[in-house]
Amino acid sequence: MVAPVRLALPIDEHLAAIAQAVRSEGGAIVVAEPGAGKTTRVPGMLLDELRLNVTCTQPRRIAARLSAARVAEERSSQLGHEVGYEVRFDRKRSASTKLCFMTEGLALRQWSSEKRGTRVLVLDEFHERHLDADMLLALAARERAQGGKLSLVVMSATLDAEPLSRHLQLPVIRSEGRHFPVHASYLATRANERLETQVSRALREVLADREDQGHVLVFLPGLSEIRRCQEQVAELAKHNELLVLPLHGSLSRDEQDRALRPSRERRVILATNVAETSLTIEGVTTVVDAGTARVARHSPWTGLSSLQVEPISQASAKQRAGRAGRTAPGRCIRLYSEHDLVGRRGFDSPEIVRADLTGSALQLAAEDLHLDALPWLDAPPPLAVENAYELLTRLGALQERSITPLGRRMSLLPVHARLARIVIEAERLGVPSLGASAAGLLSEPALRRQSYAQEASASSSSDVLDDLDLLDELRASGFRPGLARTMNVDIGVARNADKIAAQILRSLDNRSQSTSLSESDRDEAVRRALLTGFPDRAGKRVRARGDAVLLCSGGAVTLSRTSAVLDAEYLIAMDVEERGVKGARSALVR
């Protein structure tokens, strides 16, 4: 095998200092601008210099997989040998793997089973401040404080490093990036203009520049916006011979690679924030930034967790614009004003201050730890901690904050605590496969394409049961894409839900089989199992066939007109999106 040419990168001149800091201080905070090469060079250098096993975490599966492939190639190593990766549903690692890239969530799940010894943990792209990353940081800080032989390196391009340095008592090492100039412009929003129309206008502006024939990367908040934009620009793409491709976490590996690999055709890549960090898409010279992202928040108003579309931070906007200047001079068209950008927060708020902490509390309880006993960089809100323990007690997972046998079984399942409770109850009622499939569906975005969603006409006892029927039909067809299109179903979501269900069934320790029940008894068992996972989400219609629902917890929600539960007086709210601001807030249940 011919070794690839090793190009000089800005981070190279700092590698010796990073290695020295790890040897003498036990770690370092590395702040390196986009293009510096921190992900490519730092983990491999630590492996070479320290001769220790290195785990490097990434916020997303695609970044972990591609980072591992790039480092292995640069080191002339076959992927899965010295350098490997492990993400949900996909892994390439072996007994000889010494440097492993993985997602933060998987690294956290493996923390308890990991052999505690002399090793290195690298938390990359830490500025995103996901809850799993903060938990890893807290567990690592605790182990180090107790005399453990864990070295810790935290890396980011846009990071407020000083508070982190003080918290961990580690030095900060900074590196300039290597990127080309990016010209930013702002596309004024017209009254009542939809996002997909804005994107179409921006693309027409890009196409008017005949000198620039580079690829276009469009940042959008979510899957539904990607689908609407695909439809909106289809005719424009056809006339200009553009290849329009989606890029998001629900796609298969092959579908993601199609958006990333070089092509002769000019590409327009419609992406969520999976493309914001750790990825270099060759040939991208223009970024179109919608300026928003979907984030999970736990609402004290409704008592529910929901996804909300929110403005991104200035740091995130900088990251997105930088994607256009990785290989050549570029431009960034922002679909919001410069005044709007200046008024935004500087950095992303940590997820720990706005997230549901139930899963984290259960995972720590399995280690005989409590949320308020860890050395957090930002402590979780006391009310969120109280709510997490209250729900786990209600689910039967904890008793006086100590884990129960039921809770221990729940902690072993690779889904949220609510969904784990559903699976175990479904198993008890003789329908483990249906419970696992329901948990798989509820772990993923909406199965049915929202852009095609129509007001329900036929009444059903459960939207989840309807989705289970669709999933079964797709399974029987071998997940045939044509059938999925006919059903207006997202084939990627269906495949992922099926994989999650299979993973859950493998995790059940008694390998229980479904019992012989009538269809009505099976449906009743699923409904009962769903209630055990969402006991606080039970609600009652205000009036017959109305869309207003009062929850037992005291909140009020609105049932989407796409829901087929038309006649039931009592409901369970599971898929919730909070809308509006302040006095005009509402929560939509799909």
Side-chain angles (χ1 to χ4, degrees):
M1 179 178 179
V2 178
V5 177
R6 185 180 171 96
L7 299 175
L9 294 171
I11 196 68
D12 291 344
E13 62 182 274
H14 302 282
L15 294 179
I18 296 170
Q20 179 57 34
V22 174
R23 288 194 189 96
S24 61
E25 306 291 336
I29 314 298
V30 179
V31 180
E33 293 181 3
K38 60 185 182 301
T39 305
T40 303
R41 296 281 162 84
V42 172
M45 176 277 295
L46 294 171
L47 176 63
D48 294 335
E49 293 291 324
L50 304 178
R51 300 293 176 182
L52 298 173
N53 287 345
V54 179
T55 297
C56 182
T57 67
Q58 294 290 333
R60 300 174 183 86
R61 288 178 287 180
I62 186 172
R65 181 170 59 84
L66 295 179
S67 297
R70 184 175 178 183
V71 172
E73 180 184 20
E74 186 171 271
R75 295 170 66 85
S76 302
S77 171
Q78 186 176 345
L79 185 61
H81 290 188
E82 179 195 50
V83 180
Y85 70 85
E86 185 168 0
V87 299
R88 196 175 197 183
F89 311 132
D90 189 14
R91 59 177 298 189
K92 279 199 175 181
R93 66 180 300 184
S94 62
S96 61
T97 299
K98 303 299 182 185
L99 168 55
C100 188
F101 289 81
M102 61 176 61
T103 52
E104 297 158 348
L106 189 58
L108 189 57
R109 287 196 66 83
Q110 293 185 1
W111 186 270
S112 59
S113 60
E114 192 177 71
K115 294 179 181 178
R116 305 290 172 83
T118 307
R119 66 199 193 284
V120 184
L121 174 64
V122 180
L123 301 178
D124 198 7
E125 306 296 357
F126 186 73
H127 69 277
E128 296 201 17
R129 298 298 305 276
H130 292 170
L131 176 57
D132 289 342
D134 267 26
M135 277 192 68
L136 283 169
L137 186 81
L139 289 167
R142 179 177 182 271
E143 183 175 333
R144 285 164 49 80
Q146 293 176 340
K149 298 179 180 180
L150 171 68
S151 296
L152 179 63
V153 176
V154 183
M155 305 199 301
S156 173
T158 52
L159 178 67
D160 191 5
E162 279 62 38
L164 184 59
S165 176
R166 290 192 298 269
H167 178 70
L168 297 174
Q169 296 185 323
L170 292 176
V172 178
I173 299 171
R174 298 181 184 274
S175 171
E176 298 296 321
R178 186 188 69 178
H179 54 84
F180 294 87
V182 175
H183 172 70
S185 61
Y186 300 84
L187 192 67
T189 305
R190 296 170 181 171
N192 301 319
E193 187 175 37
R194 296 180 64 88
L195 177 58
E196 56 267 30
T197 306
Q198 282 184 279
V199 170
S200 180
R201 276 207 296 132
L203 284 179
R204 292 180 189 279
E205 183 176 312
V206 172
L207 293 170
D209 183 356
R210 298 299 180 183
E211 294 183 7
D212 181 7
Q213 293 299 308
H215 304 311
V216 183
L217 176 60
V218 184
F219 282 101
L220 297 165
L223 273 63
S224 59
E225 290 83 3
I226 287 176
R227 292 174 189 138
R228 290 200 299 270
C229 283
Q230 279 183 286
E231 296 167 4
Q232 179 77 23
V233 305
E235 195 66 27
L236 181 65
K238 180 180 178 181
H239 286 305
N240 290 274
E241 298 182 343
L242 301 176
L243 183 61
V244 181
L245 297 169
L247 180 61
H248 53 80
S250 296
L251 295 173
S252 68
R253 183 174 64 181
D254 289 342
E255 289 169 324
Q256 289 176 344
D257 288 347
R258 185 176 179 226
L260 297 170
R261 73 170 66 99
S263 66
R264 292 182 179 179
E265 298 167 281
R266 192 177 188 186
R267 283 173 290 161
V268 175
I269 302 164
L270 305 176
T272 61
N273 54 7
V274 298
E276 195 171 298
T277 55
S278 296
L279 293 179
T280 297
I281 305 175
E282 297 293 336
V284 168
T285 56
T286 300
V287 162
V288 177
D289 179 17
T292 54
R294 269 193 170 80
V295 298
R297 286 193 179 274
H298 189 75
S299 170
W301 175 63
T302 61
L304 307 180
S305 291
S306 64
L307 288 174
Q308 301 177 39
V309 176
E310 297 186 356
I312 59 173
S313 66
Q314 292 180 21
S316 186
K318 180 182 177 181
Q319 287 275 7
R320 292 183 176 189
R323 299 296 103 184
R326 298 301 291 270
T327 57
R331 65 185 299 195
C332 175
I333 302 175
R334 292 181 169 131
L335 305 183
Y336 47 101
S337 69
E338 187 172 9
H339 180 266
D340 182 358
L341 177 63
V342 171
R344 296 185 179 193
R345 64 187 185 277
F347 297 92
D348 293 319
S349 61
E351 189 179 13
I352 195 170
V353 303
R354 54 181 167 79
D356 173 18
L357 301 177
T358 307
S360 304
L362 179 61
Q363 188 167 0
L364 290 175
E367 297 285 314
D368 296 321
L369 294 173
H370 295 152
L371 282 168
D372 47 14
L374 288 184
W376 298 102
L377 176 59
D378 290 283
L383 181 59
V385 172
E386 180 183 338
N387 289 341
Y389 284 117
E390 181 180 334
L391 177 59
L392 287 171
T393 300
R394 194 168 185 176
L395 294 175
L398 298 183
Q399 187 172 10
E400 297 181 352
R401 294 202 176 187
S402 294
I403 197 162
T404 63
L406 172 61
R408 196 162 296 280
R409 285 201 72 203
M410 289 167 57
S411 72
L412 297 175
L413 297 179
V415 287
H416 188 276
R418 289 184 184 274
L419 306 184
R421 183 66 184 90
I422 289 171
V423 171
I424 292 173
E425 183 67 11
E427 178 191 42
R428 188 186 72 81
L429 295 172
V431 288
S433 295
L434 286 174
S437 293
L441 287 167
L442 291 169
S443 297
E444 288 290 298
L447 178 64
R448 284 169 279 189
R449 294 178 181 271
Q450 293 300 312
S451 55
Y452 295 101
Q454 298 177 347
E455 184 173 335
S457 55
S459 182
S460 169
S461 66
S462 168
D463 295 309
V464 177
L465 285 172
D466 292 347
D467 283 355
L468 284 171
D469 289 341
L470 293 174
L471 182 59
D472 278 344
E473 193 171 345
L474 283 168
R475 278 178 179 144
S477 75
F479 293 97
R480 189 158 46 86
L483 178 61
R485 285 193 295 271
T486 301
M487 295 175 164
N488 292 329
V489 162
D490 190 308
I491 191 72
V493 169
R495 285 174 175 153
N496 283 346
D498 183 60
K499 290 177 182 177
I500 294 169
Q503 191 178 37
I504 290 170
L505 290 174
R506 288 194 299 269
S507 300
L508 289 175
D509 52 18
N510 64 1
R511 309 289 181 183
S512 60
Q513 301 294 316
S514 298
T515 55
S516 178
L517 297 172
S518 67
E519 182 177 350
S520 61
D521 286 343
R522 287 198 304 270
D523 290 352
E524 176 70 9
V526 171
R527 287 195 295 270
R528 288 181 178 275
L530 292 172
L531 182 58
T532 63
F534 294 87
D536 55 328
R537 300 278 190 92
K540 182 183 179 184
R541 264 194 169 94
V542 174
R543 60 180 179 274
R545 284 215 160 198
D547 59 5
V549 178
L550 295 178
L551 300 178
C552 63
S553 57
V557 294
T558 301
L559 189 64
S560 169
R561 295 186 182 278
T562 62
S563 171
V565 184
L566 301 178
D567 297 307
E569 181 181 4
Y570 295 96
L571 313 168
I572 310 170
M574 288 177 282
D575 182 6
V576 182
E577 180 178 356
E578 190 172 351
R579 296 180 167 186
V581 293
K582 298 181 180 179
R585 292 176 302 181
S586 64
L588 184 70
V589 180
R590 294 197 177 93

